[in-house]
Amino acid sequence: MSEFFPGVSRIQYEGPDSKNPLAFKHYNADEKVGNKTMRDHLRFAVCYWHTFKGLGSDPFGPGTIIREYNNSSDPMAVAEMTLRAAFEFFSKLGVGFWCFHDRDIAPEADDLATTNERLDKIVGLAKSLQKQTGVKLLWGTANLFSHRRYMAGAATNPSPYVFAHAAAQVKKAMTVTKELGGAGYVFWGGREGYDTLLNTDMKRELDHLGRFLNMAVEYKQKIGFKGQFYIEPKPKEPTKHQYDFDAGACYAFLQKYGLVEHFKMNIEANHATLAGHTFQHELEFAAANGILGSIDANRGDLLLGWDTDQFPTDLYDCTMAMYTVLKSGGFKTGGLNFDAKVRRQSIEPVDLFHAHIGGMDAFARGLKIAQKMVADKTFEKVVKERYQGWDTLFGRKIERGKATFDELEAYTLKNGEPAVQSGRQEMLENILNEYIR
Ligand code: XLS
Ligand code: CA
Ligand code: CA
């Protein structure tokens, strides 16, 4: 069988002095960082949709990228060639995982039964390629946002018949994710939101989304799928407002509909930016509430107001993200999925390697720096000291719910003005700069 990426062999670790653009300078899979190898800490995944189905289109023009594996008028032949190309890429890059939407891997037909047959055929091939290469599925998902039937949403559609179609699609996507041994399953509410409130019954839509996810939990239990469910926040785009706005909104939603114990978050860096947060804010919020699950690793462009899905290269972002991940105990079922696409002018297959190598090296550096920050306890000590009043008998009493407003007023009247302390932000930022070299 011919290669789709000829001229590129397995990417090796050559160390920080290497000038070879097709080598890792920092990601050394077997190297231990703390008590785990980099491979086990980072759990890198390649996403199927951008990397193999994306051809460089943007809101102003169609694709610019021509791929050899698209060279057939038979959509199933394209699907098969693309899958083979993908597994060649995963193996050469040396990642352990991949992620897909149902419609990325197999084309939709005119009716659901034929669509499902096509999916089964490709899933059969994926199963054998996973076995041959050892590459595993980090998570699967269903595309409930591209087809015109979903223009007004899937689970939040005004029509119960569209809701039913979405349910059938998710049922199948969960089944094939289980068949492929997926470690997780993602729900991203692509068009679960609204374009105008003039035609929207918000309460009903939210209730329907809650029902839909509860039905997914019931089906998960029915088929014995052990993978982790994730919800992926995003504030807007394609709709004006999406109900899964940010981690905070998703958490409140999960609580209201009795779903907290069944879900964790899949946090995407650029969705955090679009919500007006930092990437680390979203991770920290999820970690603080015990629902940090997985990461879609990418970055946005602060000067462009849309979801540019660029590859992550910012060392501060990668470091602070890994700092939060390490502090929260590391990935369990999740990992770092490159939900990122090469730019429209990066038209050659080799650009896919450059993009992923850069992202993997950036996160490897972030991991090593973050591990040092954790081991040194520099920031941990500062935080502990800043809150030390809460570790006194006085503070503990309040935390345990044993104090009243009356008592606190009496204490304050007796003891007068409380002491204040410096937040030392500038000093701490300087210390962080010393770590990031
Ligand atoms: C789109 C989302 C999507 C999800 C999976 O913005 O990032 O790709 O990750 O449906
Ligand atoms: Ca994503
Ligand atoms: Ca995105």
Side-chain angles (χ1 to χ4, degrees):
M1 181 128 329
S2 66
E3 284 181 289
F4 292 95
F5 299 97
V8 181
S9 38
R10 172 83 189 226
I11 307 298
Q12 305 291 340
Y13 169 72
E14 292 184 5
D17 294 332
S18 167
K19 296 278 178 277
N20 177 3
L22 288 176
F24 296 118
K25 321 287 183 303
H26 305 278
Y27 178 63
N28 185 8
D30 295 319
E31 185 182 320
K32 274 206 159 171
V33 174
N35 59 356
K36 276 198 286 193
T37 60
M38 285 197 197
R39 179 190 290 107
D40 291 343
H41 270 296
L42 297 164
R43 294 168 60 85
F44 286 125
V46 170
C47 90
Y48 208 88
W49 49 102
H50 290 314
T51 297
F52 301 104
K53 301 305 286 180
L55 298 174
S57 61
D58 72 9
F60 297 91
T64 51
I65 298 172
I66 299 160
R67 299 279 189 231
E68 206 190 310
Y69 40 80
N70 284 331
N71 188 16
S72 168
S73 54
D74 172 1
M76 282 302 279
V78 168
E80 190 182 321
M81 279 191 289
T82 309
L83 196 73
R84 291 190 188 281
F87 276 83
E88 180 189 329
F89 182 80
F90 306 151
S91 303
K92 287 185 168 175
L93 187 63
V95 287
F97 299 93
W98 66 304
C99 296
F100 69 86
H101 298 86
D102 48 2
R103 303 297 176 251
D104 304 336
I105 58 171
E108 190 153 358
D110 291 338
D111 62 89
L112 187 62
T114 317
T115 300
N116 286 348
E117 276 168 30
R118 287 179 168 188
L119 188 56
D120 283 335
K121 190 157 180 247
I122 297 295
V123 165
L125 178 61
K127 216 171 171 176
S128 71
L129 290 169
Q130 284 194 160
K131 207 165 165 204
Q132 268 170 46
T133 57
V135 176
K136 298 191 174 103
L137 180 61
L138 190 69
W139 49 260
T141 188
N143 179 330
L144 302 177
F145 45 88
S146 294
H147 194 281
R148 72 190 287 276
R149 80 174 72 83
Y150 296 128
M151 65 186 169
T156 62
N157 199 285
S159 157
Y161 311 108
V162 176
F163 181 104
H165 198 289
Q169 199 180 322
V170 168
K171 174 184 158 167
K172 183 70 182 169
M174 281 171 60
T175 309
V176 302
T177 297
K178 178 180 181 245
E179 202 177 326
L180 290 170
Y185 186 92
V186 163
F187 291 85
W188 169 61
R191 292 185 194 271
E192 312 295 22
Y194 59 81
D195 292 320
T196 172
L197 286 171
L198 293 172
N199 64 14
T200 303
D201 185 337
M202 191 192 280
K203 181 182 181 323
R204 236 174 161 170
E205 292 202 356
L206 287 166
D207 286 349
H208 295 167
L209 187 56
R211 188 83 285 278
F212 191 90
L213 296 181
N214 270 289
M215 287 163 83
V217 169
E218 285 159 20
Y219 185 67
K220 179 180 195 257
Q221 286 158 351
K222 181 176 168 194
I223 62 171
F225 172 49
K226 298 276 180 279
Q228 175 64 53
F229 269 0
Y230 305 106
I231 191 163
E232 180 179 326
K234 185 175 183 180
K236 57 190 169 189
E237 198 194 81
T239 59
K240 174 193 178 76
H241 174 96
Q242 297 199 184
Y243 297 133
D244 48 15
F245 195 92
D246 60 4
C250 287
Y251 188 47
F253 175 88
L254 293 176
Q255 290 179 90
K256 171 160 186 205
Y257 293 99
L259 292 160
V260 173
E261 61 179 302
H262 303 290
F263 281 80
K264 291 202 186 313
M265 300 278 155
N266 181 40
I267 301 293
E268 178 173 320
N270 190 43
H271 295 179
T273 319
L274 290 171
H277 302 307
T278 61
F279 179 23
Q280 198 197 356
H281 164 89
E282 287 291 83
L283 296 172
E284 197 75 28
F285 178 88
N289 290 289
I291 48 165
L292 175 55
S294 200
I295 289 180
D296 272 4
N298 63 11
R299 102 187 118 100
D301 184 322
L302 293 178
L303 302 181
L304 291 174
W306 42 289
D307 191 7
T308 57
D309 286 339
Q310 284 159 255
F311 275 83
T313 52
D314 185 308
L315 285 187
Y316 282 91
D317 268 358
C318 295
T319 300
M320 296 318 290
M322 289 316 297
Y323 186 56
T324 298
V325 169
L326 290 180
K327 279 192 305 171
S328 71
F331 292 123
K332 309 254 164 7
T333 51
L336 286 163
N337 168 44
F338 289 111
D339 190 352
K341 56 190 174 202
V342 291
R343 298 301 88 191
R344 211 161 177 261
Q345 298 178 55
S346 304
I347 55 174
E348 291 182 13
V350 73
D351 291 312
L352 292 175
F353 282 96
H354 294 309
H356 285 85
I357 290 170
M360 290 164 79
D361 267 346
F363 267 97
R365 284 173 84 172
L367 167 67
K368 285 192 266 190
I369 298 167
Q371 171 63 30
K372 189 153 181 2
M373 285 160 56
V374 169
D376 292 353
K377 297 191 172 24
T378 314
F379 299 99
E380 191 189 317
K381 280 184 202 148
V382 170
V383 173
K384 192 159 177 22
E385 206 176 304
R386 190 156 182 254
Y387 291 84
Q388 67 185 351
W390 292 98
D391 296 325
T392 62
L393 282 178
F394 181 80
R396 282 215 193 99
K397 194 172 172 196
I398 302 173
E399 281 193 344
R400 288 187 189 140
K402 302 277 183 243
T404 64
F405 267 16
D406 291 334
E407 277 172 71
L408 299 186
E409 181 198 42
Y411 180 92
T412 305
L413 288 172
K414 186 170 165 222
N415 292 281
E417 191 60 29
V420 290
Q421 54 182 336
S422 168
R424 294 266 187 271
Q425 181 169 338
E426 295 77 9
M427 182 192 84
L428 295 169
E429 286 169 349
N430 296 349
I431 295 174
L432 177 62
N433 267 0
E434 290 303 307
Y435 275 98
I436 300 188
R437 296 180 201 236

